[in-house]
Amino acid sequence: MSDALLEVGRLNAGYGEMAVLRDVSIAIRPAEIVALVGSNGAGKTTLLRALSRLIPSRGELRFAGRSLAGAAADEVFGLGLVQVPEGRQLFDRMSVAENLRMGAYQRRDKAAIEADLERVYALFPAVADRRRQLAGSLSGGEQQMCAMARALMARPRLLMVDEMSLGLAPVIVDALLETMSQIRAQGVTVLLVEQDVHAALSVADRGYVLETGEIVRAGTARELERDPEVQRAYLGAADPVPAMPAGRAHGAP
Amino acid sequence: MALLAQIVVSGVLLGGLYALMALGLALVWGVLNIVNLSHGALIMLGAYATYFLFTGAHVDPFAALPLAAAALFAAGYLIQRGILNLVIRGPMFNTLLITFGIEVILTYLAQLWFSADYRAINPRYAGSSYTFGGVTVPLVQALGFAIAIGLTAAMWLFLLHSRTGRGIRAAAQNLVAARLYGVDPKRIYALTFGLGAALAGVAGGLYGTVSQINPYIGGPLTAKSFVIAIIGGLDNPFGVVVGGLFLGIVESLTALYVGPTYRDVASFGILVLVLVARPSGLLGRTA
């Protein structure tokens, strides 16, 4: 896929001697929302760490036509490959406003930063209300919004969101997914990494299923939702062809 | 009563200098999680830099402070980049050993180059003082106090409001998130260690104007800085001001009511008490 924003080819990564990812290949086109789903321990977070260059990897890694081999974490960030990490990872003893300014750490365009702050506050009014509070004092949902707002302050080209829904009430997850669509409408490409397969596929255009370090399924969100194997493993269907729509599975045959 | 007031004023003036000494140690400790045992040796080098600029090039000791700071900043930056960076993810025991080794090397190099003689920085105005209501304030001590408090405040503003200061705090609070958001830890760490060394350099220059110097002053000054950092905590630069003033006043009172030779007994007694009462101060951030 030559028009891809991110191209990952036969990527291998792990921790020390322990291999986690085996020959992972994915591609993301501009302004797509792509879901990467899989159960706990499948290697989703490891893939994001490799993409952000927090851990070394072997294989092809191209972003916006540039090879990321040998790039450091701060350089990758500078290119616009920005991650909202699992567990939010806010700067707890900084105010919400300062966390947002940390998103703009590599930017020098003061006026544009101020304008972006207002734009991001408009997108997350709950964050705006808490801008003077310490980030560590926010509720889980507010922290997730703060983390996403911080990422947007970097003007990402590709926003990678790791386990956004973890520990959050469904109504908050729905609101965040809605925001995700708005972010994409502004031209930001999104990689959504989720254990909550149903939530992820509900907003995604396409998806990949990662299982024990390998991509085992790929397709449009609709195809994956209808895939009996995906339904059985991730969408709570009791049987490949359930007599009644079970759990939160949509579009059961 | 006038005597007590005099002692407290002397203690406060001494405490300001102590605060500046501890500020660099607390900064490096809080951001890099390294208790820099060579901090006192860097103070000693700052004192010698100021001394030689004064005696050799006739630079006023207060005008020499920025030069001492710049020289020590460069030294600190290189020590971090070249040596400490190798063990930055290692356990604290490793960094304690390495910084202790640096302290030993610097002390013996100083003895080799500068000899073990006692030296003093004595500008013309060294004996000047002002008297307010029976309390004498020596000019040099007062200037040193003002510079120490001014630098602490400047450091606080820098950490709180500058982009680089925010990067330093980000690396201290959450290293993974800092790396994900474009902070280069190598650069930030070297910069922080350089700043800590520069603060030590200025503190050393001021120390040289109020006290005699020799190559061995480093060890006790590291220990005092450590006491102050534990009392004051690592998060807020004004914590070290509180800790510094406390130690300065305790030492002055001890010198008067117990005897001058017991000054260090008092400060290191406090160190022992703090370690017994709050051993977590040794490793925990909450120090």
Side-chain angles (χ1 to χ4, degrees):
Chain A
M1 228 185 287
S2 59
D3 59 340
L5 178 62
L6 175 77
E7 263 184 288
V8 177
R10 300 179 69 87
L11 190 84
N12 289 266
Y15 304 96
E17 293 293 297
M18 191 180 72
V20 176
L21 299 177
R22 284 190 301 266
D23 289 341
V24 168
S25 298
I26 65 170
I28 301 175
R29 286 185 294 263
E32 264 189 320
I33 296 183
V34 173
L36 177 72
V37 299
S39 55
N40 199 11
K44 305 187 298 294
T45 296
T46 302
L47 177 58
L48 289 201
R49 286 198 184 131
L51 294 181
S52 283
R53 308 315 293 151
L54 291 180
I55 58 170
S57 62
R58 281 181 295 111
E60 197 200 352
L61 202 49
R62 295 185 71 78
F63 180 68
R66 212 196 110 152
S67 170
L68 297 185
D74 56 305
E75 294 173 70
V76 175
F77 172 82
L79 292 173
L81 188 62
V82 176
Q83 181 177 154
V84 180
E86 186 180 356
R88 346 301 186 205
Q89 304 285 349
L90 294 174
F91 301 109
D92 285 346
R93 282 171 290 133
M94 288 188 193
S95 70
V96 167
E98 280 195 297
N99 268 277
L100 266 50
R101 284 186 189 279
M102 274 310 297
Y105 183 71
Q106 286 194 351
R107 294 172 56 187
R108 305 283 186 164
D109 44 347
K110 278 196 174 160
I113 290 174
E114 298 305 319
D116 279 2
L117 269 175
E118 291 315 312
R119 203 170 54 87
V120 167
Y121 281 140
L123 201 56
F124 298 101
V127 173
D129 292 342
R130 302 246 184 269
R131 64 178 85 181
R132 290 186 191 285
Q133 264 179 257
L134 289 185
S137 72
L138 302 183
S139 72
E142 289 165 348
Q143 289 199 5
Q144 187 63 54
M145 291 178 205
C146 181
M148 287 177 48
R150 176 178 66 177
L152 289 178
M153 286 305 295
R155 288 207 172 167
R157 298 182 66 182
L158 173 58
L159 184 66
M160 307 187 292
V161 187
D162 196 4
E163 301 291 9
M164 179 189 77
S165 68
L166 210 64
L168 298 184
V171 55
I172 295 174
V173 174
D174 287 346
L176 285 169
L177 290 172
E178 168 59 30
T179 312
M180 209 74 84
S181 301
Q182 290 179 33
I183 291 169
R184 183 255 294 272
Q186 295 179 6
V188 178
T189 312
V190 178
L191 174 61
L192 206 52
V193 176
E194 272 291 340
Q195 274 186 66
D196 187 340
V197 177
H198 172 72
L201 291 180
S202 72
V203 291
D205 304 310
R206 293 190 302 117
Y208 293 93
V209 180
L210 191 65
E211 229 173 70
T212 56
E214 287 176 276
I215 299 286
V216 294
R217 284 281 193 287
T220 67
R222 293 297 148 264
E223 285 166 7
L224 289 178
E225 278 181 330
R226 293 202 181 98
D227 188 309
E229 205 34 46
V230 173
Q231 287 190 352
R232 189 192 55 76
Y234 302 105
L235 293 175
D239 194 75
V241 187
M244 287 169 56
R248 293 161 78 187
H250 278 207
Chain B
M1 203 58 217
L3 181 62
L4 183 63
Q6 177 69 60
I7 292 303
V8 170
V9 167
S10 303
V12 166
L13 294 178
L14 180 64
L17 176 56
Y18 279 173
L20 185 61
M21 285 184 183
L23 180 59
L25 183 95
L27 177 70
V28 167
W29 190 356
V31 177
L32 284 77
N33 197 29
I34 289 176
V35 177
N36 176 19
L37 293 182
S38 68
H39 189 71
L42 298 173
I43 294 175
M44 179 267 295
L45 289 183
Y48 274 106
T50 310
Y51 172 82
F52 285 115
L53 281 166
F54 174 63
T55 56
H58 304 290
V59 180
D60 180 90
F62 288 98
L65 293 178
L67 299 171
L72 268 292
F73 177 87
Y77 195 96
L78 292 175
I79 288 174
Q80 171 61 34
R81 247 344 237 281
I83 303 172
L84 291 174
N85 214 18
L86 303 174
V87 292
I88 193 69
R89 303 262 185 274
M92 188 176 250
F93 185 66
N94 291 359
T95 55
L96 281 175
L97 269 183
I98 287 188
T99 56
F100 177 68
I102 294 171
E103 139 93 24
V104 171
I105 290 170
L106 292 180
T107 300
Y108 284 97
L109 285 179
Q111 182 191 321
L112 209 60
W113 291 335
F114 312 142
S115 89
D117 294 347
Y118 278 89
R119 319 229 188 200
I121 301 171
N122 276 316
R124 263 181 304 100
Y125 48 83
S128 318
S129 62
Y130 302 95
T131 305
F132 307 94
V135 176
T136 302
V137 179
L139 174 66
V140 170
Q141 264 96 334
L143 268 177
F145 180 83
I147 290 171
I149 298 299
L151 267 181
T152 306
M155 198 64 203
W156 185 67
L157 289 174
F158 166 74
L159 286 175
L160 215 53
H161 293 298
S162 76
R163 178 181 163 278
T164 305
R166 206 178 293 128
I168 289 175
R169 284 185 295 137
Q173 288 182 24
N174 189 329
L175 185 58
V176 171
R179 290 179 68 197
L180 281 176
Y181 281 84
V183 176
D184 175 6
K186 279 197 185 105
R187 187 180 151 271
I188 285 288
Y189 282 169
L191 200 62
T192 305
F193 202 88
L195 281 174
L199 290 167
V202 175
L206 293 176
Y207 183 87
T209 61
V210 298
S211 190
Q212 291 195 316
I213 58 173
N214 67 47
Y216 319 112
I217 58 174
L221 293 182
T222 300
K224 284 184 189 182
S225 302
F226 180 76
V227 177
I228 293 163
I230 287 195
I231 295 172
L234 307 176
D235 282 342
N236 187 332
F238 282 101
V240 298
V241 173
V242 173
L245 293 182
F246 176 73
L247 197 69
I249 293 170
V250 166
E251 283 195 0
S252 296
L253 290 175
T254 307
L256 175 70
Y257 291 111
V258 187
T261 44
Y262 287 91
R263 273 172 61 141
D264 285 356
V265 175
S267 43
F268 297 124
I270 292 172
L271 172 61
V272 171
L273 283 180
V274 165
L275 291 184
V276 169
R278 302 194 59 179
S280 67
L282 254 179
L283 297 168
R285 281 200 52 83
T286 50

